[in-house]
Amino acid sequence: MTDSQTDTVVQLSGVSKVFEGRGQKAARVEALSGIDLSVRRGEFISLIGPSGCGKSTLLRIVGDLIGVSDGTVMVNGKLAREARLAREYGMVFQAPVLFDWRTVQRNVELPLEIIGRPKQEREARAREMLALVELGDFAGHHPWQLSGGMQQRAAIARALALDPAILLMDEPFGALDEMTRERMNLELLRIWERTATTVIFVTHSIPEAVFLSTRVVVMSARPGRITKIVPIDLPRHRDVETREMEHYFELVTEVRESLRGSEGEAVDPRRVAAEGLSA
Amino acid sequence: MSTRRRLRPALGFLLIVAILLVGWEAAKLLAGDPWRFPDYGFYWDPPLRWKPVNDLNLPHLWTIFGAFWELDAKGETYLSSLIGAAFFTARESALGFALGTGVGLGLAIVLIHVKVLERGLVPLLVASQTVPIIAIAPVVVVGLRAGWFGVAIVATYLTFFPVTIAAIRGMRSADPRAFELMRSYAAGRRTVLRKLRLPASPPYLFTAFKIAASASVVGAIVGEFPAGIRDGLGGALLQAMQYYSFSPQDLWAAIAACAALGIVAFLLVVTAERIALRGYRPTEDGARA
């Protein structure tokens, strides 16, 4: 009992979120309803579902970037707000959101600056993180001098700088081309193995979710609910060959079918078709 | 190649000035007063007559140029007295610019954090800028005992507003996710201001600084009128206006001095911008430099 408690990083109970429409015409939107989920330390959880199913909202609720309408969010035994104030989160967005005026090195130093670490420690830590994402040679560049994939790696280095208990990633590779995306998937797994951090990852790519995760959380739209949780029992260490395993395809199919089963009118058939091709 | 690139805008500027000057004399050739050069035995009677380009309203360029070398009672050329006046006015406008950008930036920081004030105060600020400066200047200058500091305050009055508006825009220009990122680090308002809002602003601020640089020169010149200050360009203009009917070239020479000061102020800001924005994402505008 105690063991499983200390091992739980995120505990969502009965979480719901309603966006009250402002003005007369804006409708009241029930974004999330009755979400229960617990994430153990070291897990890699993907949230997947049709657009508008509230997966990004759920991620922001875990990170205390927006509040809940009902229910509780516990992170490391604390309320989400307390966890945020204790700087337990690393955030990665779909865009890198690096600061133009800072070099890559100083972008990674940013969170360390905010918590007031001394200069030497900041520099050493940032160098270490940049080496981890293989950007050591680009420390002195400005973000706009790097490619999209490199920028996103810098953003991951920044997110890891504070050694967060949990890494929240909102479609971090959604804007990258397919080849870069697959390479970034491998790199993310390598980083995840080395840092042993807990990851919650929002995506709308089924192959990506299956390849990366220990569990895939399938959601439906309006209101956003969890319809199924698919455990991914592939070997923990994954590489290029994992994508060719038969069991990988079975899991991709399983996730796809549970998505189809849960699908509201919000599923975009073109997207499903595109994912079928890339799988 | 890099020097050629740097020279190109300067050449463009000179070309346009040359075209304007040629146009100026061409108009006089066509519709001005008769050209008389008895020393060279040259006389030209323009085929048309148009009042705006006669010798009183639009003196010949060489007449204006000659005005610079006229000696005053102290044996000083008009050019050197104008240069002295320009330095005097530059001091007023520099202080006005500094105070104006300080006030403008400070005001923007307050407004961005207190929404109620923004809604209440911005319309008032807009109203303040629609009152002609010529009406405000005596109030400020006389209230502050007509010193050059009072004149600088008039320049401040013209300077702060574009800075406030640009700073508000600039401090809100960052990606909303950058603010989420700062929130995820539990960064306070002050940290967000220092690490995100302020450093995101310069590309917007410099646009305002360019407007403010010219405005501060105008403010300083106009401020000198009611102050009765005779040491600056405002004083020089006032004096030249009195003698306009028999020596219009003096006013034109003083106007040229004011324009030169305005251009210098603008170029200083442009240079500062090039240096300050080196780390920022290049834009179409910046790529040219």
Side-chain angles (χ1 to χ4, degrees), chain B residues 175-212:
Chain B
D175 190 322
R177 287 167 295 195
F179 291 99
E180 285 190 319
L181 183 77
M182 295 304 268
R183 183 176 156 90
S184 81
Y185 297 138
R189 280 177 157 199
R190 236 199 215 173
T191 310
V192 174
L193 180 67
R194 261 195 359 228
K195 304 282 184 198
L196 179 58
R197 289 190 187 277
L198 286 179
S201 307
Y204 297 84
L205 279 179
F206 273 100
T207 303
F209 288 168
K210 287 175 199 167
I211 300 168

mmCIF file of all heavy atoms in Angstrom, chain B residues 175-212:
data_model
loop_
_atom_site.group_PDB
_atom_site.id
_atom_site.type_symbol
_atom_site.label_atom_id
_atom_site.label_comp_id
_atom_site.label_asym_id
_atom_site.label_seq_id
_atom_site.Cartn_x
_atom_site.Cartn_y
_atom_site.Cartn_z
ATOM 1 N N ASP B 175 4.814 34.499 -27.549
ATOM 2 C CA ASP B 175 3.929 33.355 -27.701
ATOM 3 C C ASP B 175 3.210 33.080 -26.361
ATOM 4 O O ASP B 175 3.854 33.070 -25.323
ATOM 5 C CB ASP B 175 4.829 32.146 -28.065
ATOM 6 C CG ASP B 175 4.022 30.926 -28.483
ATOM 7 O OD1 ASP B 175 2.960 30.669 -27.889
ATOM 8 O OD2 ASP B 175 4.479 30.234 -29.404
ATOM 9 N N PRO B 176 1.877 32.888 -26.389
ATOM 10 C CA PRO B 176 1.173 32.590 -25.123
ATOM 11 C C PRO B 176 1.807 31.411 -24.389
ATOM 12 O O PRO B 176 1.801 31.357 -23.164
ATOM 13 C CB PRO B 176 -0.245 32.239 -25.576
ATOM 14 C CG PRO B 176 -0.374 32.716 -26.954
ATOM 15 C CD PRO B 176 0.984 32.908 -27.545
ATOM 16 N N ARG B 177 2.389 30.473 -25.144
ATOM 17 C CA ARG B 177 3.003 29.312 -24.504
ATOM 18 C C ARG B 177 4.267 29.693 -23.739
ATOM 19 O O ARG B 177 4.648 29.013 -22.795
ATOM 20 C CB ARG B 177 3.299 28.234 -25.550
ATOM 21 C CG ARG B 177 2.024 27.551 -26.016
ATOM 22 C CD ARG B 177 2.253 26.718 -27.246
ATOM 23 N NE ARG B 177 2.623 27.559 -28.393
ATOM 24 C CZ ARG B 177 2.604 27.147 -29.649
ATOM 25 N NH1 ARG B 177 2.245 25.921 -29.928
ATOM 26 N NH2 ARG B 177 2.949 27.953 -30.613
ATOM 27 N N ALA B 178 4.902 30.807 -24.137
ATOM 28 C CA ALA B 178 6.067 31.271 -23.376
ATOM 29 C C ALA B 178 5.621 31.697 -21.977
ATOM 30 O O ALA B 178 6.343 31.486 -21.000
ATOM 31 C CB ALA B 178 6.743 32.429 -24.098
ATOM 32 N N PHE B 179 4.409 32.261 -21.901
ATOM 33 C CA PHE B 179 3.883 32.634 -20.586
ATOM 34 C C PHE B 179 3.515 31.380 -19.788
ATOM 35 O O PHE B 179 3.726 31.325 -18.578
ATOM 36 C CB PHE B 179 2.689 33.578 -20.733
ATOM 37 C CG PHE B 179 3.086 34.942 -21.248
ATOM 38 C CD1 PHE B 179 2.935 35.255 -22.589
ATOM 39 C CD2 PHE B 179 3.656 35.886 -20.410
ATOM 40 C CE1 PHE B 179 3.332 36.494 -23.076
ATOM 41 C CE2 PHE B 179 4.051 37.126 -20.880
ATOM 42 C CZ PHE B 179 3.889 37.433 -22.222
ATOM 43 N N GLU B 180 2.976 30.358 -20.486
ATOM 44 C CA GLU B 180 2.701 29.085 -19.811
ATOM 45 C C GLU B 180 3.992 28.468 -19.279
ATOM 46 O O GLU B 180 4.036 27.925 -18.186
ATOM 47 C CB GLU B 180 2.026 28.102 -20.778
ATOM 48 C CG GLU B 180 0.570 28.408 -21.058
ATOM 49 C CD GLU B 180 -0.119 27.275 -21.814
ATOM 50 O OE1 GLU B 180 0.491 26.700 -22.742
ATOM 51 O OE2 GLU B 180 -1.260 26.954 -21.469
ATOM 52 N N LEU B 181 5.035 28.581 -20.088
ATOM 53 C CA LEU B 181 6.332 28.044 -19.688
ATOM 54 C C LEU B 181 6.801 28.726 -18.398
ATOM 55 O O LEU B 181 7.216 28.058 -17.442
ATOM 56 C CB LEU B 181 7.351 28.286 -20.808
ATOM 57 C CG LEU B 181 8.741 27.712 -20.578
ATOM 58 C CD1 LEU B 181 8.737 26.205 -20.816
ATOM 59 C CD2 LEU B 181 9.760 28.376 -21.490
ATOM 60 N N MET B 182 6.704 30.060 -18.369
ATOM 61 C CA MET B 182 7.114 30.796 -17.180
ATOM 62 C C MET B 182 6.253 30.392 -15.985
ATOM 63 O O MET B 182 6.740 30.277 -14.861
ATOM 64 C CB MET B 182 6.996 32.309 -17.422
ATOM 65 C CG MET B 182 7.931 32.847 -18.488
ATOM 66 S SD MET B 182 9.666 32.473 -18.181
ATOM 67 C CE MET B 182 10.176 33.923 -17.277
ATOM 68 N N ARG B 183 4.972 30.166 -16.244
ATOM 69 C CA ARG B 183 4.090 29.740 -15.158
ATOM 70 C C ARG B 183 4.509 28.369 -14.635
ATOM 71 O O ARG B 183 4.487 28.111 -13.439
ATOM 72 C CB ARG B 183 2.643 29.701 -15.663
ATOM 73 C CG ARG B 183 1.640 29.345 -14.582
ATOM 74 C CD ARG B 183 0.209 29.416 -15.117
ATOM 75 N NE ARG B 183 -0.691 28.573 -14.339
ATOM 76 C CZ ARG B 183 -1.350 29.006 -13.274
ATOM 77 N NH1 ARG B 183 -1.234 30.229 -12.864
ATOM 78 N NH2 ARG B 183 -2.142 28.175 -12.615
ATOM 79 N N SER B 184 4.927 27.488 -15.564
ATOM 80 C CA SER B 184 5.326 26.145 -15.126
ATOM 81 C C SER B 184 6.595 26.210 -14.274
ATOM 82 O O SER B 184 6.853 25.310 -13.484
ATOM 83 C CB SER B 184 5.521 25.218 -16.332
ATOM 84 O OG SER B 184 6.792 25.417 -16.913
ATOM 85 N N TYR B 185 7.367 27.288 -14.419
ATOM 86 C CA TYR B 185 8.533 27.468 -13.544
ATOM 87 C C TYR B 185 8.160 28.239 -12.283
ATOM 88 O O TYR B 185 9.040 28.648 -11.536
ATOM 89 C CB TYR B 185 9.637 28.247 -14.272
ATOM 90 C CG TYR B 185 10.199 27.560 -15.488
ATOM 91 C CD1 TYR B 185 10.476 28.259 -16.650
ATOM 92 C CD2 TYR B 185 10.466 26.184 -15.467
ATOM 93 C CE1 TYR B 185 10.986 27.623 -17.765
ATOM 94 C CE2 TYR B 185 10.977 25.553 -16.582
ATOM 95 C CZ TYR B 185 11.227 26.279 -17.730
ATOM 96 O OH TYR B 185 11.741 25.651 -18.830
ATOM 97 N N ALA B 186 6.857 28.465 -12.073
ATOM 98 C CA ALA B 186 6.393 29.243 -10.935
ATOM 99 C C ALA B 186 7.114 30.595 -10.872
ATOM 100 O O ALA B 186 7.500 31.054 -9.799
ATOM 101 C CB ALA B 186 6.568 28.472 -9.626
ATOM 102 N N ALA B 187 7.299 31.221 -12.032
ATOM 103 C CA ALA B 187 7.966 32.526 -12.083
ATOM 104 C C ALA B 187 6.978 33.616 -11.686
ATOM 105 O O ALA B 187 5.839 33.612 -12.142
ATOM 106 C CB ALA B 187 8.498 32.794 -13.489
ATOM 107 N N GLY B 188 7.418 34.541 -10.842
ATOM 108 C CA GLY B 188 6.560 35.653 -10.422
ATOM 109 C C GLY B 188 6.448 36.699 -11.511
ATOM 110 O O GLY B 188 7.134 36.630 -12.532
ATOM 111 N N ARG B 189 5.570 37.700 -11.272
ATOM 112 C CA ARG B 189 5.351 38.755 -12.267
ATOM 113 C C ARG B 189 6.633 39.463 -12.636
ATOM 114 O O ARG B 189 6.855 39.845 -13.772
ATOM 115 C CB ARG B 189 4.411 39.812 -11.687
ATOM 116 C CG ARG B 189 2.978 39.438 -11.739
ATOM 117 C CD ARG B 189 2.214 40.552 -11.068
ATOM 118 N NE ARG B 189 0.839 40.581 -11.510
ATOM 119 C CZ ARG B 189 0.043 41.645 -11.371
ATOM 120 N NH1 ARG B 189 0.505 42.736 -10.808
ATOM 121 N NH2 ARG B 189 -1.185 41.609 -11.789
ATOM 122 N N ARG B 190 7.445 39.720 -11.612
ATOM 123 C CA ARG B 190 8.675 40.454 -11.849
ATOM 124 C C ARG B 190 9.631 39.665 -12.739
ATOM 125 O O ARG B 190 10.265 40.222 -13.634
ATOM 126 C CB ARG B 190 9.355 40.706 -10.528
ATOM 127 C CG ARG B 190 9.594 42.149 -10.318
ATOM 128 C CD ARG B 190 10.629 42.270 -9.272
ATOM 129 N NE ARG B 190 10.317 43.447 -8.490
ATOM 130 C CZ ARG B 190 10.971 43.765 -7.398
ATOM 131 N NH1 ARG B 190 11.891 42.964 -6.926
ATOM 132 N NH2 ARG B 190 10.676 44.853 -6.777
ATOM 133 N N THR B 191 9.725 38.372 -12.461
ATOM 134 C CA THR B 191 10.603 37.529 -13.267
ATOM 135 C C THR B 191 10.090 37.467 -14.702
ATOM 136 O O THR B 191 10.872 37.542 -15.645
ATOM 137 C CB THR B 191 10.668 36.117 -12.676
ATOM 138 O OG1 THR B 191 10.939 36.231 -11.287
ATOM 139 C CG2 THR B 191 11.741 35.292 -13.331
ATOM 140 N N VAL B 192 8.762 37.336 -14.863
ATOM 141 C CA VAL B 192 8.186 37.301 -16.208
ATOM 142 C C VAL B 192 8.497 38.611 -16.927
ATOM 143 O O VAL B 192 8.848 38.620 -18.109
ATOM 144 C CB VAL B 192 6.659 37.060 -16.140
ATOM 145 C CG1 VAL B 192 6.033 37.172 -17.520
ATOM 146 C CG2 VAL B 192 6.369 35.690 -15.538
ATOM 147 N N LEU B 193 8.424 39.712 -16.200
ATOM 148 C CA LEU B 193 8.735 41.016 -16.790
ATOM 149 C C LEU B 193 10.191 41.069 -17.247
ATOM 150 O O LEU B 193 10.495 41.460 -18.366
ATOM 151 C CB LEU B 193 8.467 42.118 -15.755
ATOM 152 C CG LEU B 193 8.738 43.554 -16.206
ATOM 153 C CD1 LEU B 193 7.760 43.972 -17.296
ATOM 154 C CD2 LEU B 193 8.654 44.515 -15.028
ATOM 155 N N ARG B 194 11.081 40.634 -16.354
ATOM 156 C CA ARG B 194 12.511 40.765 -16.632
ATOM 157 C C ARG B 194 13.005 39.771 -17.675
ATOM 158 O O ARG B 194 13.838 40.087 -18.515
ATOM 159 C CB ARG B 194 13.298 40.565 -15.349
ATOM 160 C CG ARG B 194 13.707 41.865 -14.705
ATOM 161 C CD ARG B 194 14.769 41.633 -13.660
ATOM 162 N NE ARG B 194 15.088 40.233 -13.531
ATOM 163 C CZ ARG B 194 15.170 39.582 -12.370
ATOM 164 N NH1 ARG B 194 14.996 40.202 -11.271
ATOM 165 N NH2 ARG B 194 15.453 38.305 -12.327
ATOM 166 N N LYS B 195 12.498 38.547 -17.600
ATOM 167 C CA LYS B 195 13.051 37.501 -18.462
ATOM 168 C C LYS B 195 12.285 37.342 -19.769
ATOM 169 O O LYS B 195 12.793 36.755 -20.709
ATOM 170 C CB LYS B 195 13.038 36.152 -17.734
ATOM 171 C CG LYS B 195 13.751 36.147 -16.407
ATOM 172 C CD LYS B 195 15.254 36.073 -16.595
ATOM 173 C CE LYS B 195 15.938 35.978 -15.243
ATOM 174 N NZ LYS B 195 17.354 36.327 -15.351
ATOM 175 N N LEU B 196 11.016 37.804 -19.798
ATOM 176 C CA LEU B 196 10.216 37.564 -20.999
ATOM 177 C C LEU B 196 9.657 38.852 -21.608
ATOM 178 O O LEU B 196 9.943 39.166 -22.756
ATOM 179 C CB LEU B 196 9.083 36.581 -20.675
ATOM 180 C CG LEU B 196 8.133 36.253 -21.827
ATOM 181 C CD1 LEU B 196 8.891 35.668 -23.004
ATOM 182 C CD2 LEU B 196 7.045 35.276 -21.366
ATOM 183 N N ARG B 197 8.873 39.591 -20.821
ATOM 184 C CA ARG B 197 8.188 40.741 -21.410
ATOM 185 C C ARG B 197 9.160 41.792 -21.932
ATOM 186 O O ARG B 197 9.062 42.232 -23.082
ATOM 187 C CB ARG B 197 7.255 41.387 -20.379
ATOM 188 C CG ARG B 197 6.027 40.546 -20.064
ATOM 189 C CD ARG B 197 5.061 41.363 -19.228
ATOM 190 N NE ARG B 197 3.940 40.596 -18.731
ATOM 191 C CZ ARG B 197 2.845 40.336 -19.428
ATOM 192 N NH1 ARG B 197 2.751 40.758 -20.672
ATOM 193 N NH2 ARG B 197 1.861 39.641 -18.890
ATOM 194 N N LEU B 198 10.107 42.214 -21.090
ATOM 195 C CA LEU B 198 11.036 43.269 -21.525
ATOM 196 C C LEU B 198 11.934 42.812 -22.672
ATOM 197 O O LEU B 198 12.040 43.511 -23.680
ATOM 198 C CB LEU B 198 11.843 43.793 -20.337
ATOM 199 C CG LEU B 198 11.052 44.685 -19.374
ATOM 200 C CD1 LEU B 198 11.923 45.129 -18.205
ATOM 201 C CD2 LEU B 198 10.480 45.901 -20.085
ATOM 202 N N PRO B 199 12.575 41.647 -22.563
ATOM 203 C CA PRO B 199 13.439 41.258 -23.699
ATOM 204 C C PRO B 199 12.671 40.988 -24.989
ATOM 205 O O PRO B 199 13.265 41.023 -26.066
ATOM 206 C CB PRO B 199 14.163 39.999 -23.215
ATOM 207 C CG PRO B 199 13.563 39.617 -21.926
ATOM 208 C CD PRO B 199 12.738 40.744 -21.420
ATOM 209 N N ALA B 200 11.362 40.743 -24.904
ATOM 210 C CA ALA B 200 10.589 40.527 -26.129
ATOM 211 C C ALA B 200 10.244 41.853 -26.813
ATOM 212 O O ALA B 200 9.801 41.867 -27.950
ATOM 213 C CB ALA B 200 9.310 39.743 -25.820
ATOM 214 N N SER B 201 10.429 42.965 -26.114
ATOM 215 C CA SER B 201 9.934 44.261 -26.604
ATOM 216 C C SER B 201 10.792 45.017 -27.619
ATOM 217 O O SER B 201 10.231 45.739 -28.444
ATOM 218 C CB SER B 201 9.687 45.211 -25.421
ATOM 219 O OG SER B 201 8.867 44.628 -24.483
ATOM 220 N N PRO B 202 12.117 44.940 -27.542
ATOM 221 C CA PRO B 202 12.925 45.846 -28.383
ATOM 222 C C PRO B 202 12.522 45.949 -29.853
ATOM 223 O O PRO B 202 12.513 47.056 -30.384
ATOM 224 C CB PRO B 202 14.347 45.301 -28.222
ATOM 225 C CG PRO B 202 14.342 44.754 -26.851
ATOM 226 C CD PRO B 202 12.978 44.143 -26.666
ATOM 227 N N PRO B 203 12.178 44.857 -30.539
ATOM 228 C CA PRO B 203 11.804 45.042 -31.943
ATOM 229 C C PRO B 203 10.648 46.033 -32.110
ATOM 230 O O PRO B 203 10.582 46.755 -33.098
ATOM 231 C CB PRO B 203 11.392 43.634 -32.391
ATOM 232 C CG PRO B 203 12.137 42.727 -31.475
ATOM 233 C CD PRO B 203 12.179 43.442 -30.163
ATOM 234 N N TYR B 204 9.741 46.071 -31.136
ATOM 235 C CA TYR B 204 8.620 47.015 -31.186
ATOM 236 C C TYR B 204 9.055 48.389 -30.692
ATOM 237 O O TYR B 204 8.690 49.411 -31.245
ATOM 238 C CB TYR B 204 7.452 46.501 -30.335
ATOM 239 C CG TYR B 204 6.907 45.213 -30.846
ATOM 240 C CD1 TYR B 204 7.477 43.997 -30.496
ATOM 241 C CD2 TYR B 204 5.817 45.189 -31.725
ATOM 242 C CE1 TYR B 204 6.997 42.806 -30.997
ATOM 243 C CE2 TYR B 204 5.328 44.005 -32.225
ATOM 244 C CZ TYR B 204 5.923 42.817 -31.865
ATOM 245 O OH TYR B 204 5.450 41.641 -32.361
ATOM 246 N N LEU B 205 9.856 48.383 -29.614
ATOM 247 C CA LEU B 205 10.276 49.651 -29.009
ATOM 248 C C LEU B 205 11.034 50.529 -29.989
ATOM 249 O O LEU B 205 10.833 51.740 -30.014
ATOM 250 C CB LEU B 205 11.172 49.368 -27.800
ATOM 251 C CG LEU B 205 10.451 49.018 -26.501
ATOM 252 C CD1 LEU B 205 11.465 48.745 -25.406
ATOM 253 C CD2 LEU B 205 9.522 50.149 -26.097
ATOM 254 N N PHE B 206 11.891 49.911 -30.793
ATOM 255 C CA PHE B 206 12.728 50.743 -31.652
ATOM 256 C C PHE B 206 11.914 51.481 -32.707
ATOM 257 O O PHE B 206 12.287 52.574 -33.122
ATOM 258 C CB PHE B 206 13.864 49.926 -32.270
ATOM 259 C CG PHE B 206 15.061 49.876 -31.368
ATOM 260 C CD1 PHE B 206 15.319 48.781 -30.578
ATOM 261 C CD2 PHE B 206 15.902 50.978 -31.271
ATOM 262 C CE1 PHE B 206 16.411 48.761 -29.723
ATOM 263 C CE2 PHE B 206 16.991 50.976 -30.413
ATOM 264 C CZ PHE B 206 17.247 49.856 -29.635
ATOM 265 N N THR B 207 10.806 50.891 -33.132
ATOM 266 C CA THR B 207 9.920 51.615 -34.040
ATOM 267 C C THR B 207 9.433 52.897 -33.370
ATOM 268 O O THR B 207 9.413 53.968 -33.969
ATOM 269 C CB THR B 207 8.728 50.725 -34.428
ATOM 270 O OG1 THR B 207 9.252 49.524 -35.002
ATOM 271 C CG2 THR B 207 7.829 51.397 -35.419
ATOM 272 N N ALA B 208 9.065 52.761 -32.087
ATOM 273 C CA ALA B 208 8.606 53.939 -31.344
ATOM 274 C C ALA B 208 9.749 54.913 -31.104
ATOM 275 O O ALA B 208 9.559 56.124 -31.164
ATOM 276 C CB ALA B 208 8.001 53.508 -30.017
ATOM 277 N N PHE B 209 10.945 54.382 -30.840
ATOM 278 C CA PHE B 209 12.083 55.274 -30.599
ATOM 279 C C PHE B 209 12.361 56.138 -31.826
ATOM 280 O O PHE B 209 12.774 57.288 -31.708
ATOM 281 C CB PHE B 209 13.342 54.460 -30.259
ATOM 282 C CG PHE B 209 13.303 53.822 -28.905
ATOM 283 C CD1 PHE B 209 14.238 52.859 -28.550
ATOM 284 C CD2 PHE B 209 12.334 54.166 -27.970
ATOM 285 C CE1 PHE B 209 14.213 52.261 -27.296
ATOM 286 C CE2 PHE B 209 12.293 53.578 -26.714
ATOM 287 C CZ PHE B 209 13.239 52.620 -26.380
ATOM 288 N N LYS B 210 12.156 55.576 -33.020
ATOM 289 C CA LYS B 210 12.395 56.358 -34.227
ATOM 290 C C LYS B 210 11.419 57.529 -34.302
ATOM 291 O O LYS B 210 11.798 58.646 -34.649
ATOM 292 C CB LYS B 210 12.251 55.480 -35.475
ATOM 293 C CG LYS B 210 13.415 54.531 -35.653
ATOM 294 C CD LYS B 210 13.167 53.602 -36.822
ATOM 295 C CE LYS B 210 14.047 52.380 -36.736
ATOM 296 N NZ LYS B 210 13.623 51.335 -37.670
ATOM 297 N N ILE B 211 10.142 57.246 -33.989
ATOM 298 C CA ILE B 211 9.154 58.330 -33.979
ATOM 299 C C ILE B 211 9.515 59.318 -32.876
ATOM 300 O O ILE B 211 9.506 60.532 -33.070
ATOM 301 C CB ILE B 211 7.736 57.759 -33.726
ATOM 302 C CG1 ILE B 211 7.367 56.774 -34.838
ATOM 303 C CG2 ILE B 211 6.709 58.874 -33.630
ATOM 304 C CD1 ILE B 211 6.140 55.952 -34.530
ATOM 305 N N ALA B 212 9.882 58.778 -31.710
ATOM 306 C CA ALA B 212 10.157 59.617 -30.553
ATOM 307 C C ALA B 212 11.370 60.505 -30.786
ATOM 308 O O ALA B 212 11.415 61.636 -30.310
ATOM 309 C CB ALA B 212 10.364 58.749 -29.317
#
